[in-house]
Amino acid sequence: MSHASVAPVQDLTLQVKDLHKAYGGNEVLKGVEFQIAKGQVKAVLGPSGSGKSTMLRLMALLEPSDRGDILLHGERIGVNDGGRHLPERTLAVQRRDIGMVFQKFNLFPHLSAVRNVALALTAVQQVKRHTALERAHEMLERVGLSERADHFPSELSGGQQQRVAIARALVLDPDVMLFDEPTSALDPELVGEVLDVMEGLARGGMTMIVVTHEVRFARRVADEVTLFDNGVIVEQAPPEDFFDRPQHERTRRFLSHVH
């Protein structure tokens, strides 16, 4: 399912250039270059600890980079013109355009599904409560949970909770959605319902970067697949080339373990 061809530079939604990040003496990202065009889906594979999730967190402005640039629609974000990190209130505004879905659902247990979703609007965008609830119901319908709107997280399965988390990210109408192994915390029989929602978003033209171990999803849905290892991108190619004709020995070794 390749629904977006390589776009010209002006159509690039999100880019990172020469991105570096270290924790103590551990260099996690070593000059990463990555970009995604409007409407593309990119799947990011790689062993644990390779830097995939760190890249997403930096893209989502949840942590500052040590060096490098993050650009949204060609404009540098996260730092000012002098390269200094922006204050939190400014970062919060920039984050509205970048949706993030984590491994853990991070729902408020004392709020119903619809109120968890609406909170993103009332807290972040100061949308009136009535309007926020209307839009939250629309997003829950989009992820197939309209009949569970008034249920609390404890009354939902893991797959349903993750779909609420996706609705919460979607309600802000982001330009790009980042998924950090969104099915890794789920029981195997619940994985499919979350992947179905994500595939529906892809068919609808959502720009998506998906860190995942779900190889079949990457092959079927992604326009391009990336292998991360040891803080660098080893290989990046359309799925048919990545899986069937990998160019790098490291990619071949990785695929021999996950197939």
Side-chain angles (χ1 to χ4, degrees):
M1 167 189 167
S2 188
H3 56 273
S5 58
V6 176
V9 171
Q10 64 266 29
D11 289 336
L12 291 176
T13 298
L14 192 63
Q15 298 169 270
V16 298
K17 297 181 177 181
D18 192 31
L19 203 61
H20 290 257
K21 182 68 178 181
Y23 299 100
N26 181 26
E27 194 176 10
V28 180
L29 296 180
K30 304 172 182 177
V32 170
E33 304 274 338
F34 189 93
Q35 62 188 39
I36 186 167
K38 181 177 173 59
Q40 273 193 323
V41 177
K42 288 204 177 191
V44 181
L45 308 181
S48 296
S50 58
K52 311 180 300 292
S53 295
T54 299
M55 182 183 73
L56 286 195
R57 290 185 64 80
L58 298 188
M59 285 177 165
L61 306 181
L62 298 175
E63 295 183 39
S65 64
D66 296 335
R67 193 163 90 243
D69 290 324
I70 303 168
L71 294 94
L72 184 67
H73 303 303
E75 299 289 329
R76 192 159 62 155
I77 59 174
V79 295
N80 62 19
D81 291 340
R84 295 177 66 85
H85 297 298
L86 293 171
E88 177 58 31
R89 65 180 179 278
T90 309
L91 292 176
V93 173
Q94 293 185 345
R95 286 190 199 111
R96 296 176 190 177
D97 295 322
I98 304 169
M100 180 94 177
V101 177
F102 303 88
Q103 295 178 38
K104 295 195 169 26
F105 325 126
N106 300 323
L107 301 179
F108 289 105
H110 65 289
L111 297 178
S112 64
V114 71
R115 292 193 183 281
N116 263 286
V117 176
L119 187 64
L121 290 170
T122 55
V124 176
Q125 295 189 345
Q126 281 73 57
V127 173
K128 286 192 169 66
R129 186 168 171 270
H130 174 72
T131 303
L133 287 171
E134 275 187 1
R135 286 173 59 185
H137 277 289
E138 290 170 8
M139 288 305 113
L140 287 174
E141 186 171 356
R142 191 170 175 185
V143 300
L145 283 176
S146 53
E147 78 287 355
R148 293 283 192 273
D150 295 323
H151 286 60
F152 290 87
S154 62
E155 301 171 312
L156 301 173
S157 70
Q160 289 169 339
Q161 290 184 61
Q162 189 62 293
R163 285 150 66 193
V164 173
I166 293 172
R168 180 180 56 192
L170 287 173
V171 80
L172 294 174
D173 194 24
D175 294 333
V176 58
M177 286 280 285
L178 312 180
F179 294 85
D180 187 10
E181 298 189 14
T183 59
S184 64
L186 300 178
D187 293 332
E189 66 269 20
L190 301 177
V191 168
E193 66 188 65
V194 174
L195 294 181
D196 285 347
V197 167
M198 293 168 62
E199 189 166 350
L201 294 176
R203 282 197 304 269
M206 175 63 73
T207 308
M208 297 164 56
I209 302 172
V210 185
V211 169
T212 184
H213 291 298
E214 300 292 337
V215 172
R216 282 177 294 181
F217 174 85
R219 181 188 279 271
R220 188 174 70 248
V221 178
D223 298 295
E224 197 165 56
V225 184
T226 299
L227 180 69
F228 243 77
D229 189 40
N230 198 27
V232 298
I233 290 176
V234 175
E235 185 158 354
Q236 193 161 236
E240 58 272 20
D241 293 329
F242 184 93
F243 291 109
D244 299 334
R245 296 176 290 278
Q247 298 299 301
H248 294 266
E249 172 58 27
R250 181 67 187 96
T251 311
R252 289 191 284 271
R253 269 192 291 125
F254 177 79
L255 292 176
S256 73
H257 290 296
V258 299
H259 273 328

